[in-house]
Amino acid sequence: MYASTCACKGIRSCNLCQPTKDHVLDEFQSYTTYIYCDSCRQAIRMNIYESNAQCPHHNDIGNDEIGFPLDGIYLVSDFITEDEENNLTNSIDNDIWLSSQSGRLKQDFGIKINFKKQTIKTKYFTGMPMYSKTFIERLQTHRLLNDFQSVELCNLDYCSQRGSHIDPHIDDIWIWGERLITINLLSNTILSLIPNDKDTKKIIYIPLPRRWMIVLYGDARYEYKHAIQRQHISERRIAITFRELTGKTETFSVENKDLYEKIIRIGKRFTGISVGRFEKIVNEINSMINDKMETDTLSLQEDQLKELFESTYQTKISSFDMINPSTYVINSDKKYLIKLFPHSLISLEQLQTILSSCQLNETILNISINQSHIIIIDYDSNLSTNKQMGHFLAQWRLATRNILKSSLENSLNEQWFNQQYAMIINKKKNSYPFLLSNLFTCQQQITDQCEYGLLWTDNSQSSYLMDLASIFLNDMDNIKEIFNAYEEIVQLNDNEINLLDTFVRLQLILSINNNDIDDEKQLDLLEQLSSNIFFVRNLVR
């Protein structure tokens, strides 16, 4: 789980590199120590606090020998539950930890900044991780944070064995806004505040229990440096820090309006992946490509399909639309659906049995185009297109539950996703980091627990749910009608509805990447789906 290399630079050090560097003595030994009391919002001299065994809540404020007011600190006890902490820690540990300075490990979701040159790169910023959605929404229920828009999430792992700490610093005010938010996980710690005035020899300790949240703003944000000292890390600690951009009237926003708006837009996505994860995917896929990984998917000849249909039905096609690489809708004198099934996955006999149980008026053509069975389904003129599609997909699911269980494996496996990553990386479109991060979050949500009736093809990039998602994307206005028709036959549970949201996004990713030029309308839709990850559920429930 942990990286072993040391990333310390300059005067910074950790236990991994301490023998090679001069030991830095505690520079705060001569400072007067205060402890912050949130009840009275005062910094109380430590010896007075300890002699009372608690804050005396005295009124003699203004006398630096006793205590003084300290503004700009907002603490929320038990901001998350113990179960949430466990789940959150598991989600974080499933990501890639990179070595950071001063004995820490890190995961970054945000822009890349050169603070010295004041330049920004957004290539690796793909949004917030999905697990953060609940907690960001919870943050915004607090009056102080109701307009907070995170544009960076940074996870830091502290460990006493590595000598983890963070030196006193003020987060850059050129790019970062006023409010700095941290959620403290796994162990208690102490946040230290040190006045900017070098002649003021004070240090203020802010106790920070596990699962608490702290916000620094105002005086605490700008008039004090903040730090975590080595001696205040006794057990493993994870800090989740959220940052916002400076205000719209500040220099950065005024001079970089388009960039500012772009960063805000990306920050609203909940399909982001960390910098480490992004680099790992790209490096691994490039290595596979260099090893001659096969990235081609089933290539269908539309002209052959058109010719086949017209020769079978003796009628001209008025429109021919690809729903996905194995599903086509044809309009002639009536409407038809063409589906292709690879020979390697399903026998003709199985296909006939399934379709007969679906009670469809269909023609099965045992003609090989790229080794596929072909069926042509005549739409029932007594039902609307949406209702018939909903009925067909539900009937397909019921019919395939037992027939295909022994012969099919989940087609959307790691190999399939690697092929999709490779195609996205090969094209290197402007949108490719956005597509890649969305594809990864889709992969994380699709597991081998899917029913066989839900996933039924291989490299033709199709499935029960993906077909339904394709129809949704082609006719957003009728999603509820299709869904209701489906549920007349099979009721979907909440997990399946959430999975359907994933397939809508997955289908859109493949569609965008298949185009030579980015379709702005499709990109805008994917943007909406990335920030509203329960799109279908919100429409149909």
Side-chain angles (χ1 to χ4, degrees), residues 127-146:
M128 299 294 108
M130 189 170 290
Y131 61 73
S132 70
K133 181 174 173 57
T134 297
F135 305 108
I136 290 177
E137 290 174 347
R138 190 177 299 171
L139 290 173
Q140 294 167 342
T141 64
H142 294 264
R143 186 170 59 85
L144 178 67
L145 305 170
N146 60 7

Side-chain angles (χ1 to χ4, degrees), residues 10-244:
I11 63 170
R12 293 179 177 86
S13 65
C14 66
N15 286 354
L16 295 176
C17 65
Q18 195 72 63
T20 65
K21 297 192 176 186
D22 293 334
H23 182 66
V24 180
L25 295 174
D26 183 358
E27 59 180 303
F28 306 116
Q29 285 182 343
S30 62
Y31 282 42
T32 303
T33 304
Y34 294 76
I35 189 165
Y36 175 73
C37 174
D38 193 47
S39 297
C40 60
R41 300 179 66 81
Q42 300 174 40
I44 311 300
R45 208 174 70 209
M46 179 69 82
N47 61 340
I48 294 177
Y49 189 99
E50 290 177 339
S51 65
N52 286 271
Q54 61 181 351
C55 175
H57 298 289
H58 53 75
N59 295 316
D60 193 9
I61 299 301
N63 181 350
D64 284 357
E65 293 300 313
I66 299 174
F68 57 92
L70 182 56
D71 293 327
I73 298 169
Y74 181 67
L75 286 163
V76 178
S77 62
D78 297 313
F79 179 75
I80 64 173
T81 67
E82 187 172 355
D83 284 344
E84 286 176 330
E85 181 186 46
N86 290 334
N87 293 333
L88 191 51
T89 301
N90 288 336
S91 296
I92 290 171
D93 278 338
N94 282 332
D95 206 340
I96 307 296
W97 286 108
L98 300 177
S99 295
S100 184
Q101 300 195 76
S102 304
R104 291 169 283 129
L105 304 177
K106 66 178 180 179
Q107 295 170 359
D108 285 325
F109 298 81
I111 52 181
K112 185 176 182 179
I113 306 172
N114 185 318
F115 292 104
K116 186 175 181 179
K117 296 181 180 179
Q118 292 193 341
T119 58
I120 292 172
K121 293 182 180 179
T122 60
K123 175 181 177 181
Y124 293 114
F125 184 29
T126 54
M128 299 294 108
M130 189 170 290
Y131 61 73
S132 70
K133 181 174 173 57
T134 297
F135 305 108
I136 290 177
E137 290 174 347
R138 190 177 299 171
L139 290 173
Q140 294 167 342
T141 64
H142 294 264
R143 186 170 59 85
L144 178 67
L145 305 170
N146 60 7
D147 61 343
F148 184 84
Q149 175 55 60
S150 178
V151 297
E152 182 182 75
L153 185 155
C154 180
N155 296 324
L156 289 175
D157 182 298
Y158 292 76
C159 173
S160 59
Q161 287 82 0
R162 297 194 305 270
S164 302
H165 64 285
I166 189 165
D167 293 330
H169 66 285
I170 293 179
D171 284 31
D172 193 278
I173 61 174
W174 162 70
I175 183 69
W176 301 131
E178 179 174 6
R179 296 163 294 188
L180 305 176
I181 303 173
T182 297
I183 303 173
N184 186 53
L185 303 182
L186 299 182
S187 64
N188 303 336
T189 192
I190 292 174
L191 180 70
S192 299
L193 295 187
I194 301 95
N196 291 338
D197 184 356
K198 295 181 179 180
D199 295 329
T200 304
K201 302 295 184 179
K202 297 177 181 177
I203 184 168
I204 301 100
Y205 288 163
I206 305 174
L208 194 56
R210 66 185 295 187
R211 298 193 293 275
W212 280 38
M213 177 187 75
I214 184 170
V215 184
L216 298 182
Y217 65 100
D219 287 351
R221 161 76 167 98
Y222 297 115
E223 301 301 323
Y224 293 83
K225 297 181 178 70
H226 58 273
I228 298 286
Q229 299 184 63
R230 291 185 188 187
Q231 64 266 31
H232 294 148
I233 299 296
S234 58
E235 300 176 70
R236 188 187 181 201
R237 173 193 183 234
I238 293 178
I240 305 174
T241 298
F242 300 92
R243 293 183 176 88
E244 63 183 343

Side-chain angles (χ1 to χ4, degrees), residues 432-450:
Y432 101 89
F434 182 33
L435 298 180
L436 189 147
S437 67
N438 267 274
L439 182 61
F440 179 79
T441 54
C442 288
Q443 182 181 8
Q444 296 303 101
Q445 293 172 288
I446 297 173
T447 71
D448 58 4
Q449 298 173 2
C450 293

Side-chain angles (χ1 to χ4, degrees), residues 346-372:
I346 188 169
S347 70
L348 182 60
E349 290 73 21
Q350 285 177 317
L351 189 57
Q352 289 170 328
T353 302
I354 291 168
L355 291 171
S356 64
S357 68
C358 289
Q359 301 174 358
L360 296 171
N361 180 15
E362 81 286 339
T363 302
I364 302 179
L365 301 173
N366 188 20
I367 297 176
S368 179
I369 296 181
N370 288 347
Q371 298 298 308
S372 295

